[in-house]
DNA sequence: CATGAATGAGAATTCATTCAT
DNA sequence: TATGAATGAATTCTCATTCAT
């Protein structure tokens, strides 16, 4: 007798999936991949270890999904900003500010996902993630250079450097000097650094 | 009657130590700390696992030494450059170029050592390493700002961003677009990015 | 929806725990702590090495529990006897006989647990065990001396000597001459030795 | 060309052998067999690990020899005392006192060698050692019983109990109550315990 | 479908023993 | 002969994955 999967069941399944990814995300943000053992994820999600494997074929696959989910969200926001209204300069600054602000406020996924080595599978996903971030900035830079708003430069390298710059400046644990700064000032300084790096001129004042 | 340790033996011992650290360095550069198990290091060094412990008291201690060695060398070179002759701008560019060139040429330690979490012991060493790099650039920036050669900026953040920028731009595996670039051009672009970021003005041409 | 742990599973878990401690006890009795490696215990219990760690946090903890369990049982019996009815002499003899009889019948834990050095954790537990045995005899001796039934003596030393005397006389592997004795006679002789040692007079004969 | 082993060399060899056994004895006395690794013995003897194997075929063989040496010395002294002049009672007391006094004064070999399990080879040697001690007391007891000075008793068991009694009462770490006693009083109490146990009557006073 | 007990392949580390120098 | 570097098997413990209930 085949059981029909009820709507209720569907919801529960979806809910579990979300709880698992959320738990994984938080654990990775706190202690890196090392701290996010299947047992820990299961406990945090309120499920058994076995249940995890009903939703994900392996630990690596789980983290790939978590990473992709986080990156997708980030990319959507960044794309909205970089493709929005305003001068290229304004959009660049808004994008950097938006990214860094979320990284500072939320648990810092960016760090673990951009930097920490892991399974080859996760590694591949991370490479793609970095490229995805890079690509968004690259498009913006290309347009800015084309319109003459930005000076000529290697947009490939500039995009990667931007990603690297804010990653490092935000990474936990950050150098002591930076940890002491007010986070608003810190974000502003990062934005300013990237602006200067791309535009090659000081902020127009007055 | 004590037997004197022969010169030959001395050499062999020193050679083993070097082989171990070299193997560790390469394995970390390739696959992170995870891939650098004692067994793997021993095999790569052409020794048994037990032999490693004759040279290093623990796995963590081995990696701390490898890290510190790499950082020390790098810092000496950077300090020589940033404290040398020329304008602040010239010294900044020379420092970035020097660092990136070595990173491109050698196996990329910077990546694993600046970013990847590991043992608490290694973690502590890495934090110090990042601060050490940062400090060197910070001093240079501070002097440049003081002399009026560089515009006012948060030297803390700028220094961290510089380190992050070239780390990311060099990190293996780098984005495809960058890997395709000629390494000379890549280095030049990175230098140029940092120069603009700090000076906030285009390169004076002709 | 939490699945209730079935009664069957409960039983199996409890059974495993018992099998583990039993295996540990037997192995220690046979070959000391040295022979009771986790692998050996697991094999004897019909489990994998990993499974042991679901029941005990460490090898030391396992042995501490086994020791404490054995000592607790023994102390309860001894206390019941030494605090029971009859003259102090009768209770002393009954206690020694009870202890030695069980030691002869069961696998000889007393030996390993009273004598063999091991982990600091186990060591601490063993010291307490020896003192626990000693204390029971000490109380009995003290009362006997106070009532005038026993001659004046160092109850500290006498208690320790009693424990040592029967431990040695029972220890596996015992001297050949003793192993050849009928166990009933052996027990009787041990009891008699302790009786004389404490009372300092021959058994009153009808 | 065959080298004749010079007298000087002979002496050095003998000296090394003694240094090794002495180092082993001390280390075992301090930390049991566990603490007496070949490396530790070699270091304490001022030799290399390899050199140990020139004098002893294995670690076990070394400890067997050390044990046998200690036991031989002890047995000689005990035999001299138990076979000497005086009443059986006097000789019993003198023997117990002599043994316990040396155990208290010297590093406590008795403990490790009488009680601690080790290699099967050492185990066998220890069994023999215990029997050797036992035998000496057994002979004394037998003569005392034969002459009517001691009451009838199982000399096998009594001898083992005597060995066990003083071993326990001397064992490090001894129960707290005993450790606090003055060592002279402790020895006296042990002797008295054994005397009463064998003779079954209080010390004749006055 | 959910559970979590069990598995078993490593991981780091230790140490008796060997052997080139 | 003495040295001590090197070996490698053994040990404790971890954790992704499986599967009986």
């Amino acid at each position: 007798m085949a059981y029909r999967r009820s709507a209720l069941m569907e919801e529960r399944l979806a809910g579990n999936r979300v709880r698992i990814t959320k738990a994984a995300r938080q654990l990775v943000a706190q202690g890196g991949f090392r701290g996010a053992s299947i047992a820990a994820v299961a406990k945090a999600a309120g499920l058994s270890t076995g249940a995890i494997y009903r939703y994900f074929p392996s630990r690596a696959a789980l983290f790939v999904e978590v990473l992709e989910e986080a990156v997708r969200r980030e990319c959507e926001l960044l794309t909205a900003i970089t493709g929005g209204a305003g001068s290229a300069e304004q959009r660049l600054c808004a994008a950097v500010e938006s990214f860094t602000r979320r990284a500072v406020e939320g648990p810092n996924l960016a760090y673990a996902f951009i930097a920490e080595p892991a399974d080859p599978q996760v590694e591949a996903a991370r490479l793609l993630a970095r490229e995805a971030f890079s690509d968004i900035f690259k498009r913006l830079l290309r347009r800015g250079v084309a319109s003459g708003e930005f000076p000529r430069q290697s947009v490939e390298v500039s995009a990667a450097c931007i990603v690297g710059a804010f990653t490092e400046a935000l990474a936990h644990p950050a150098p002591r000097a930076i940890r002491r700064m007010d986070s608003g000032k810190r974000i502003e300084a990062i934005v300013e650094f990237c602006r200067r790096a791309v535009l090659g001129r000081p902020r127009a004042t007055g």
Side-chain angles (χ1 to χ4, degrees), chain A:
Chain A
M1 197 182 301
Y3 281 77
R4 203 175 304 279
R5 194 178 272 180
S6 71
L8 222 71
M9 178 62 87
E10 287 285 8
E11 259 175 57
R12 195 178 64 180
L13 294 186
N16 281 349
R17 200 164 220 287
V18 169
R19 269 203 296 281
I20 292 169
T21 50
K22 191 177 163 194
R25 207 183 314 133
Q26 288 179 337
L27 284 167
V28 169
Q30 281 165 36
F33 288 115
R34 262 247 160 78
S37 67
I38 287 290
V41 171
K43 191 177 176 186
L47 289 167
S48 66
T49 57
I52 306 291
Y53 286 86
R54 194 150 292 279
Y55 297 92
F56 298 92
S58 73
R59 187 175 179 260
L62 164 59
F63 288 121
V64 167
E65 171 152 336
V66 170
L67 169 55
E68 285 177 344
E69 198 181 302
V71 169
R72 197 179 321 116
R73 235 182 336 189
E74 201 57 52
C75 283
E76 279 167 16
L77 288 165
L78 287 180
T79 303
I81 293 170
T82 57
S87 67
E89 175 180 354
Q90 284 169 332
R91 283 175 283 156
L92 170 69
C93 293
V96 172
E97 203 211 305
S98 164
F99 191 104
T100 51
R101 188 170 302 285
R102 270 191 309 286
V104 165
E105 282 165 2
N108 201 342
L109 256 193
Y111 173 58
F113 280 153
I114 292 188
E116 182 186 357
D119 275 41
Q121 290 174 61
V122 181
E123 193 63 34
R126 187 168 56 231
L127 186 52
L128 290 175
R130 274 159 51 172
E131 294 202 28
F133 288 140
S134 225
D135 280 352
I136 293 172
F137 283 100
K138 220 155 55 184
R139 266 197 301 279
L140 176 59
L141 294 177
R142 203 169 280 135
R143 282 197 302 264
V145 170
S147 74
E149 206 180 338
F150 298 160
R152 274 162 48 81
Q153 59 195 278
S154 164
V155 293
E156 314 290 357
V157 166
S158 289
C161 285
I162 289 170
V163 172
F166 58 62
T167 302
E168 173 69 14
L170 294 171
H172 279 292
R176 271 184 304 241
I178 290 185
R179 266 177 297 169
R180 273 198 302 269
M181 292 179 72
D182 167 79
S183 76
K185 286 234 190 310
R186 193 161 138 198
I187 292 169
E188 195 189 319
I190 294 169
V191 170
E192 204 49 34
F193 179 90
C194 292
R195 207 191 52 73
R196 282 195 310 270
V198 170
L199 273 88
R201 58 176 163 77
R203 186 160 40 167
T205 52

